[in-house]
Amino acid sequence: MIGNDGKPVSREQLRGHVATYNGQPRGSKEFAGIPRALVTVMDGLKPGKTTYVRCADGQIQLARRKDNSVSAG
């Protein structure tokens, strides 16, 4: 995953983006800081489904929960 600054995102940064995605409204300044490709991936997840996102230091699993939030494992 490439961040908005053009550099690869670490796992911890990706977890922070997921927390922002779950906790902030879409129009907020913090939400705008999430890479657009990551928002597209998380929006496409259906409840109960998982996907993997490659980071600078490995990969991380993203899953959509039944309460419609996204978890980063």
Side-chain angles (χ1 to χ4, degrees), residues 29-48:
K29 179 181 172 186
E30 293 83 12
F31 193 88
I34 301 173
R36 188 70 202 145
L38 183 59
V39 173
T40 302
V41 168
M42 290 190 286
D43 283 349
L45 281 175
K46 303 291 182 206

Side-chain angles (χ1 to χ4, degrees), residues 2-25:
I2 303 297
N4 291 336
D5 58 358
K7 297 180 182 176
V9 177
S10 70
R11 286 188 205 174
E12 291 305 315
Q13 290 172 325
L14 192 82
R15 285 188 179 107
H17 290 316
V18 171
T20 302
Y21 179 85
N22 288 330
Q24 297 293 324

